[in-house]
Amino acid sequence: AAAGVEAAGVGSNGGAIMRLTIEGEADSPPEQKPRGVLSSASEGYASALGLSVVKGRWLTDHEPTPVLVINETLARQAFPGAEPIGKRLRLPFVDASTSFAQVVGVVGDLRYSKLGAATEPELFIDYTHARMSGTTLTIRTSTDPMSVAPALRTLLSGIDRTQPLFDVKPLD
């Protein structure tokens, strides 16, 4: 709701590396399983970061069950020649979990760090079902991002005074 903000979302920004266990596939040793950088994300995160959905859909803030969106690099590595939409992956961070999350979308690869390196395989889980600590507010502005920071501090303080806004910086 702050002036100049075009899109906003929260995410954990690659909070963990996840080894993929795909439902229905033969179990393999951990080192042979595909891996991806796992982030939690809100509905507005894709727009704020500039991610484009190339297949399926993005996450919502009201998912009834855990869902995942993967990037094109992970789709190629984990599901070569197969349709990733509808596949189910075992949820991380749950002891001997039989809980799975369904892949509902694929986003284009986006380099937003390590610009000279190959794109990392990535997964995004809806933040309401994530068990990750730490989130980052990502916003897209129509003005100088630093000029929006005071309004954001006021808005966030009105929601929860114990959550400080810090390390404010433009993505570039």
Side-chain angles (χ1 to χ4, degrees):
V5 174
E6 296 176 342
V10 294
S12 63
N13 292 338
I17 301 293
M18 177 178 163
R19 292 283 179 180
L20 277 58
T21 299
I22 303 166
E23 184 179 51
E25 292 194 1
D27 202 21
S28 57
E31 64 276 0
Q32 293 177 1
K33 291 181 179 187
R35 66 161 191 84
V37 177
L38 178 65
S39 298
S40 62
S42 71
E43 188 170 323
Y45 189 72
S47 295
L49 197 56
L51 290 166
S52 61
V53 176
V54 296
K55 193 179 285 189
R57 66 174 178 86
W58 182 249
L59 312 167
T60 72
D61 289 343
H62 306 287
E63 299 288 351
T65 59
V67 295
L68 297 163
V69 171
I70 62 176
N71 72 349
E72 291 175 304
T73 294
L74 183 60
R76 283 190 303 273
Q77 290 177 6
F79 307 104
E83 173 59 57
I85 305 294
K87 298 287 187 185
R88 291 170 34 98
L89 305 175
R90 180 168 289 144
L91 288 171
F93 316 125
V94 181
D95 48 68
S97 175
T98 56
S99 297
F100 287 83
Q102 186 172 35
V103 176
V104 296
V106 178
V107 292
D109 290 339
L110 180 66
R111 290 186 185 159
Y112 45 91
S113 68
K114 302 177 189 172
L115 300 180
T119 303
E120 292 274 353
E122 285 187 280
L123 306 94
F124 301 91
I125 185 168
D126 64 293
Y127 82 100
T128 56
H129 290 103
R131 288 177 171 80
M132 304 176 87
S133 61
T135 58
T136 299
L137 172 64
T138 302
I139 63 168
R140 178 176 297 273
T141 66
S142 58
T143 184
D144 172 26
M146 300 310 286
S147 70
V148 178
L152 292 177
R153 278 190 177 87
T154 300
L155 285 169
L156 290 174
S157 178
I159 295 167
D160 185 348
R161 291 190 181 282
T162 67
Q163 299 302 311
L165 181 64
F166 63 95
D167 199 20
V168 178
K169 60 187 172 195
L171 188 58
D172 61 351

